[in-house]
Amino acid sequence: MIHRLSDLAPSEFGEPLPPGADPKVLRDELVAAAEWVSQYLSELPAGPVSRPMPARQRVRLREAPLDREGMELGRVLDFVQDEIASFPTGNGHPAFFAWVNSPPAPAGVIGEFLASAVNATCGMGENALMDLERGTVRMLAGLAALPDTTGGVLTSGGSLANLLALATARTWFLTRRGSGDGPAYDRDHARLTLYYSAQAHMSVAKAAACIGLPAHRLRPVATDAHDRLDPAALHAAVTADLDAGLLPFCTVTTLGTTATGAVDPLEPVTELCRSAGMWHHADGAWGGLGAAVPALASLYRGIGTVDSLTVDPHKTLSVPVGCGALLVPDSEHLHTAFAHRASYLTAGDCGDALPWLSHATIELTRPGTRALALWATLNHLGRDGVTALIEHYLTLADQLRQRITAHPRLALLPSGPWPVACFRITDPDSGDPDAFHARVADRVRSRGLAYLATVAVRDRTVLRACLCNYRTTTDDLDMLISEVLHAADADQPPRRR
């Protein structure tokens, strides 16, 4: 049935329709929301790290129908307060040690809120937030010690950045061989092989699958005693594949491995990539800004010669989730891989117009919230603040390692320079030690006073505590140790006096 305007009642047509709102109502609700956010963040450390969500509530969130009548604007805040905020992941709490998930930086919260009101897309057209994204990418590149020519794009996180990097490397490699399309593409793509540390993040293998590389052409390379990629093992794998008629096209190093915080050697990998005609991508989602820290800078020699670098500001810098970045010293490689044209998307005739950022990624509509939240966080910190923040995490990690080493019931495992501590309990019960450590982590989480995870290190399940919360103090470290020992004792028979 087709409705004419004359068919509509005046009240249906003459008043603003949702999602619009009366300006005064909007102002009042924004003020209430801002006050709630401030109180929520200030009170968060005093509460439990996390709470289990009741099964009925999970079902309600998943299956609640949409009512016919719309709700009042104020109900949004009520809903968040009652149904959402009480059941977070836990990463906002200073006693959260499980994964590399940071709390939101205050400047980032403000920046993301303001950018959502502007609501510009950073994919097509020309607007201030798109140029701001270009500027924040350059800021990140400077912190990472990449060349001044570096460009790139902000992403939802490291997984998308790694996907873009591998797709770019593939296009670069095949284009140089003259096999960017047609039968030659099919022939050469079927022989591409990818190399990465055996400690690499799982998103690397996932990205390889997304660009069409089967598992039998992926090469996890052995690591040394410090969990760093072994250049000799990489050289042997590349040589064997060349002899077999395959096409090594890219090596991925990891700067800050998830399990132990190790940093792969950069210079020998780049040298091998250059000699074999490969792309060198560094996954620095966690540790990509290590060159900005004097204590870590020596491990980052050669960072300026990589072909691409992943950085996750929502990890190291506490920019609100999700803000990652792919940095490429020669951003024209991104345009070659991702620029597509359409008659309904035509750039203007402005003399200083640059390629749209959608030509450097797979996204067309892209949120400006990433750029403003990152800009606000970086400028609130300054270069010295970025360095001090990372150094704070490194110091906390050293203090935690010292506490573990000093305790007779705990054994510290070797780890890399990034702020993580892997450890085991020296007197587990008589059962399976791996299952025992998993139970300990579960019990710690269930009590709600601290939160940590387990990880496999050299085929053993160990406890892993990551330091990435600017609110964490030594009191939280002591709490973690106490909770781990309390959870371990739950498995033990009564001790004889």
Side-chain angles (χ1 to χ4, degrees):
M1 179 179 179
I2 299 176
H3 288 282
R4 295 179 175 84
L5 295 181
S6 58
D7 296 332
L8 298 175
S11 61
E12 297 179 55
F13 186 70
E15 299 296 330
L17 292 173
D22 177 85
K24 184 181 185 306
V25 172
L26 176 61
R27 179 189 180 281
D28 290 345
E29 293 306 326
L30 288 174
V31 170
E35 290 177 346
W36 180 86
V37 167
S38 177
Q39 182 176 356
Y40 171 77
L41 292 176
S42 65
E43 295 179 352
L44 194 150
V49 181
S50 64
R51 292 173 54 198
M53 186 181 296
R56 287 182 299 176
Q57 182 167 2
R58 296 175 67 94
V59 172
R60 185 167 66 249
L61 291 174
R62 292 195 301 260
E63 300 181 4
L66 179 63
D67 291 339
R68 183 176 181 82
E69 298 294 328
M71 67 182 185
E72 295 181 355
L73 202 57
R75 279 290 299 136
V76 176
L77 177 55
D78 294 339
F79 175 79
V80 171
Q81 183 171 276
D82 298 340
E83 304 288 342
I84 303 298
S86 297
F87 305 101
T89 303
N91 53 300
H93 198 284
F96 181 89
F97 300 94
W99 307 295
V100 194
N101 290 144
S102 304
V109 172
I110 296 170
E112 188 164 272
F113 166 70
L114 296 174
S116 67
V118 175
N119 201 37
T121 176
C122 284
M124 66 274 200
E126 290 295 331
N127 60 74
L129 282 175
M130 183 131 57
D131 278 322
L132 186 68
E133 178 167 341
R134 296 178 178 118
T136 56
V137 163
R138 289 179 60 84
M139 290 179 189
L140 286 177
L143 290 169
L146 295 183
D148 292 339
T149 58
T150 300
V153 289
L154 301 181
T155 67
S156 60
S159 294
L160 180 57
N162 286 338
L163 173 59
L164 298 178
L166 294 193
T168 302
R170 175 186 61 182
T171 299
W172 169 84
F173 181 85
L174 294 177
T175 301
R176 290 177 73 227
R177 286 181 59 85
S179 53
D181 199 2
Y185 177 93
D186 294 335
R187 180 192 66 235
D188 285 355
H189 196 283
R191 296 188 291 154
L192 295 178
T193 53
L194 173 68
Y195 306 83
Y196 51 87
S197 161
Q199 299 294 321
H201 193 269
M202 63 90 176
S203 64
V204 175
K206 182 186 290 189
C210 288
I211 67 167
L213 268 63
H216 72 271
R217 282 191 275 115
L218 307 184
R219 304 289 185 264
V221 179
T223 55
D224 61 19
H226 303 287
D227 296 326
R228 306 172 75 208
L229 182 146
D230 182 354
L234 174 63
H235 184 274
V238 170
T239 300
D241 284 335
L242 287 171
D243 291 344
L246 296 174
L247 296 177
F249 83 104
C250 179
T251 296
V252 179
T253 49
T254 304
L255 310 180
T257 59
T258 304
T260 63
V263 175
D264 287 342
L266 292 168
E267 290 180 314
V269 173
T270 297
E271 182 179 350
L272 175 57
C273 286
R274 296 290 179 269
S275 65
M278 288 192 292
W279 182 281
H280 180 185
H281 172 61
D283 179 7
W286 185 15
L289 301 182
V293 183
L296 302 178
S298 63
L299 299 172
Y300 288 77
R301 280 194 295 265
I303 186 69
T305 63
V306 301
D307 296 298
S308 56
L309 171 68
T310 288
V311 175
D312 265 6
H314 67 211
K315 288 185 171 68
T316 313
L317 301 178
S318 282
V319 176
V321 173
C323 180
L326 177 64
L327 309 177
V328 183
D330 184 353
S331 59
E332 189 58 34
H333 294 312
L334 291 174
H335 303 150
T336 302
F338 299 110
H340 282 68
R341 310 295 174 185
S343 62
Y344 48 84
L345 295 172
T346 304
D349 296 327
C350 180
D352 63 349
L354 297 172
W356 290 349
L357 290 180
S358 59
H359 294 329
T361 180
I362 61 175
E363 296 177 295
L364 179 57
T365 302
R366 306 177 61 252
T369 51
R370 298 169 185 163
L372 192 53
L374 175 56
W375 177 90
T377 303
L378 286 173
N379 281 273
H380 186 234
L381 288 169
R383 290 187 65 95
D384 290 346
V386 170
T387 300
L389 180 63
I390 298 174
E391 289 175 338
H392 170 66
Y393 298 144
L394 298 176
T395 298
L396 284 173
D398 284 341
Q399 293 173 337
L400 178 58
R401 293 177 190 129
Q402 291 169 10
R403 283 163 166 74
I404 294 169
T405 301
H407 201 285
R409 295 183 62 193
L410 303 177
L412 181 69
L413 277 68
S415 63
W418 279 86
V420 63
C422 294
F423 59 106
R424 286 174 67 90
I425 297 163
T426 58
D427 55 351
D429 65 2
S430 58
D432 179 357
D434 290 344
F436 168 77
H437 283 86
R439 288 196 300 273
V440 167
D442 286 340
R443 289 182 181 130
V444 169
R445 290 193 293 267
S446 66
R447 278 170 56 85
L449 299 179
Y451 199 123
L452 85 165
T454 60
V455 70
V457 176
R458 293 176 180 81
D459 297 324
R460 295 191 302 171
T461 298
V462 303
L463 303 175
R464 173 186 178 277
C466 174
L467 285 301
C468 61
N469 190 314
Y470 55 84
R471 287 173 149 179
T472 300
T473 68
T474 53
D475 288 342
D476 298 303
L477 305 184
D478 293 334
M479 172 69 75
L480 175 64
I481 297 295
S482 174
E483 286 297 290
V484 166
L485 296 174
H486 181 277
D489 286 339
D491 254 26
Q492 303 285 9
R495 296 176 181 268
R496 292 185 178 180
R497 294 185 177 181

